[in-house]
């Protein structure tokens, strides 16, 4: 057994004085002869519960009373030590109070958060949600928005929808904004054909585009208005219409003198009068087109000229025809002529033809004649036989005879 001054090494390397423990291990002592009641703590270790124990537990009490650390176990009857878990430490009063306070705080936070969520969803704070007023009539939509505390601004938008209906809002429905914010509503208004008569075509097209019209047809119409001026629109200005409805715009183009070259006099006159022109006829020499056909006009074809103006229609006159007529007339009017110094009495003008330039050739039937005087008082004319006589006569631009071959002259 243990003697005085004996020590023993613990598992953690420390040593303990084992003096006095022999009374527990003395074989003469009967540990079970009576029960042992601990009358008071032999040490200040709070982990040791003092209660009724058996004599066999005295070793344990003596071991802990001697300063062994919590969690160690007294030696067994064989002298060995075994590791045992320490008993749980009961919470103190301060710990219990802290936990209770924390739980109370968490409950308060949950209640406040729930209250905040409910009041937010009820829009008691944090702004207002823009209601959906699209497709409402404008007055109804404005009343709805103002009832929720919003200010309303109306903007008119051209549309094919029924008039005075809300097309959209800004902010869009469902948006949460500050109470009292301005909500802009776009309100439909009808597209109306604008008054574009008298405006330039460019300006008219811009006005039609501003109304949203997309199906526009431009028609050119002759007019004394400035070129490009709108003279008419259909449907008429002020008509309500949809975007794809057909809009016909008549734009002025100037009157121009038509090309009548080569037409007959009747055809050329009709073409000019159809443009509203009055017609004056004149003749010009031109061998390239049939005589009497239109050579051209004055002003010339293609020139801008207001309707109602006068146009001179130039008809072709062949110099050849004129000279032939002039030559024939001169020969017929001359019953007696001197040709090459010989007097002739013309019986018939057989033929006159144009020979180029200002000259015509002729063929006549004539007979020579001679007149004799007797002593200055009596005369006698003697005629020869009829024969064919040919020659050429030339004329100047004034239609005066300028020459002949053989020379011919009236007598």
């Amino acid at each position: 057994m243990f003697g005085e001054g004996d020590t023993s090494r613990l598992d953690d390397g420390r040593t303990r004085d084992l003096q006095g423990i022999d009374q527990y291990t003395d074989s003469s002592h009967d540990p079970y002869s009576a029960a042992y009641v601990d009358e008071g703590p032999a040490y200040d270790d709070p982990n040791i519960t003092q209660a009724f124990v058996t004599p066999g537990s005295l070793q344990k009490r003596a071991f802990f009373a001697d300063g062994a650390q919590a969690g160690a176990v007294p030696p067994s009857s064989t002298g060995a030590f075994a590791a045992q878990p320490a008993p749980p430490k009961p919470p103190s009063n301060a710990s219990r109070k802290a936990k209770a306070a924390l739980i109370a705080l968490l409950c308060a936070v949950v209640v406040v958060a729930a209250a905040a969520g409910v009041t937010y969803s009820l829009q008691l704070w944090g702004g207002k949600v823009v209601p959906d007023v699209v497709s409402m009539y404008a007055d109804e939509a404005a009343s709805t928005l103002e009832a929720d505390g919003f200010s309303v601004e109306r903007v008119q938008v051209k549309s094919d929808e029924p008039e005075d209906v809300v097309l959209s809002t800004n902010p869009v429905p469902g948006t949460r904004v500050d109470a009292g914010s301005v909500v802009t509503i776009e309100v439909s208004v009808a597209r109306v054909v604008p008054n574009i008569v008298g405006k330039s075509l460019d300006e008219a097209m811009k006005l039609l585009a501003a109304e949203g019209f997309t199906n526009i047809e431009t028609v050119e119409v002759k007019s004394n208005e400035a070129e490009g001026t709108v003279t008419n629109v259909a449907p008429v200005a002020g008509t309500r219409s949809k975007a794809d409805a057909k809009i016909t715009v008549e734009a002025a183009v100037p009157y121009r003198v038509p090309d009548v070259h080569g037409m007959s006099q009747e055809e050329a006159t009709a073409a000019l009068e159809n443009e509203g022109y009055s017609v004056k006829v004149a003749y010009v020499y031109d061998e390239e087109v049939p005589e009497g056909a239109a050579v051209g006009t004055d002003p010339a074809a293609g020139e801008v000229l207001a309707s109602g103006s006068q146009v001179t229609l130039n008809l072709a006159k062949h110099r050849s025809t004129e000279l032939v007529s002039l030559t024939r007339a001169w020969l017929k009017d001359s019953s007696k002529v001197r040709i090459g110094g010989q007097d002739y009495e013309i019986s018939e003008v057989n033929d006159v033809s144009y020979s180029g330039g200002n000259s015509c050739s002729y063929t006549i039937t004539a007979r020579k004649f001679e007149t004799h005087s007797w002593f200055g008082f009596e005369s006698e004319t003697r005629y020869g036989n009829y024969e064919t006589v040919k020659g050429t006569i030339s004329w100047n631009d004034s239609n005066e005879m300028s020459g002949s071959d053989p020379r011919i002259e009236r007598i």
Side-chain angles (χ1 to χ4, degrees):
M1 298 307 294
F2 301 101
E4 183 177 355
D6 290 339
T7 63
S8 176
R9 182 171 300 275
L10 300 179
D11 290 340
D12 60 1
R14 295 177 296 167
T15 59
R16 291 292 182 267
D17 186 0
L18 301 179
Q19 290 184 7
I21 201 169
D22 55 346
Q23 61 178 315
Y24 301 111
T25 60
D26 186 358
S27 62
S28 63
H29 180 69
D30 184 2
Y32 304 103
S33 60
Y36 174 77
V37 178
D38 189 1
E39 296 179 353
Y43 45 87
D44 295 326
D45 189 345
N47 294 319
I48 303 300
T49 302
Q50 299 177 23
F52 176 82
V53 298
T54 63
S57 67
L58 294 177
Q59 284 183 316
K60 178 178 179 181
R61 184 170 185 269
F63 179 76
F64 283 104
D66 202 34
Q69 68 180 5
V73 297
S76 64
S77 59
T78 60
F81 290 87
Q84 297 293 329
K89 182 179 180 179
S92 64
N93 289 334
S95 177
R96 288 194 296 272
K97 290 179 179 179
K99 289 182 179 179
L102 178 60
I103 292 172
L105 177 61
L106 292 175
C107 290
V109 170
V110 171
V111 171
V112 170
V118 171
T119 55
Y120 182 82
S121 64
L122 294 175
Q123 303 183 48
L124 299 179
W125 63 279
K128 293 280 189 178
V129 175
V130 177
D132 187 0
V133 296
V134 175
S135 297
M136 291 184 182
Y137 284 104
D139 288 343
E140 180 186 1
S143 298
T144 300
L145 291 166
E146 289 168 352
D148 283 349
F150 295 108
S151 296
V152 178
E153 179 179 336
R154 303 188 190 196
V155 176
Q156 291 185 334
V157 177
K158 302 292 183 180
S159 173
D160 291 340
E161 296 296 325
E163 290 188 68
D164 203 39
V165 169
V166 176
L167 302 174
S168 65
T169 65
N170 184 21
V172 297
T175 304
R176 195 167 189 125
V177 296
D178 294 337
S181 296
V182 176
V183 175
T184 302
I185 59 175
E186 293 187 343
V187 182
S188 63
V189 293
R191 307 178 198 279
V192 178
V193 177
N195 184 9
I196 58 176
V197 174
K199 300 184 182 299
S200 69
L201 184 59
D202 287 344
E203 185 178 1
M205 296 302 286
K206 290 178 181 178
L207 291 173
L208 290 168
E211 289 290 327
F213 293 114
T214 57
N215 185 10
I216 303 171
E217 180 185 20
T218 302
V219 178
E220 292 183 344
V221 177
K222 291 180 180 179
S223 171
N224 288 337
E225 297 289 339
E227 187 171 6
T229 301
V230 175
T231 59
N232 190 38
V233 61
V236 296
T239 303
R240 286 172 166 78
S241 190
K242 292 189 176 182
D244 60 354
K246 184 178 180 180
I247 308 296
T248 302
V249 178
E250 295 182 357
V253 292
Y255 284 96
R256 295 179 183 273
V257 178
D259 185 1
V260 297
H261 179 78
M263 292 183 183
S264 68
Q265 180 177 352
E266 292 75 15
E267 292 172 338
T269 300
L272 291 167
E273 290 178 345
N274 285 341
E275 299 298 312
Y277 299 125
S278 61
V279 180
K280 176 184 177 181
V281 174
Y283 291 92
V284 296
Y285 293 114
D286 191 323
E287 303 289 333
E288 300 299 324
V289 296
E291 191 169 29
V295 175
T297 55
D298 185 19
E303 289 193 21
V304 175
L305 184 66
S307 181
S309 301
Q310 186 182 76
V311 175
T312 299
L313 172 61
N314 295 320
L315 299 178
K317 181 172 69 170
H318 292 179
R319 183 63 170 165
S320 59
T321 303
E322 184 179 44
L323 293 177
V324 167
S325 177
L326 184 63
T327 301
R328 185 181 292 277
W330 189 90
L331 291 171
K332 281 188 174 182
D333 291 342
S334 303
S335 60
K336 292 181 180 182
V337 295
R338 183 171 288 130
I339 302 175
Q342 178 67 52
D343 295 341
Y344 284 88
E345 182 184 65
I346 300 174
S347 171
E348 181 179 359
V349 178
N350 305 109
D351 181 62
V352 177
S353 61
Y354 179 66
S355 57
N358 285 329
S359 299
C360 288
S361 59
Y362 63 86
T363 301
I364 60 174
T365 299
R367 63 181 178 173
K368 295 177 183 178
F369 71 90
E370 293 179 353
T371 301
H372 298 280
S373 297
W374 298 100
F375 305 107
F377 296 100
E378 294 182 10
S379 61
E380 179 183 7
T381 304
R382 297 177 180 177
Y383 293 93
N385 296 325
Y386 285 100
E387 59 183 274
T388 300
V389 180
K390 296 182 179 180
T392 301
I393 299 175
S394 297
W395 305 88
N396 62 20
D397 292 339
S398 299
N399 291 339
E400 296 173 346
M401 186 180 294
S402 61
S404 58
D405 184 24
R407 179 178 176 82
I408 186 173
E409 58 183 337
R410 289 174 178 167
I411 56 175

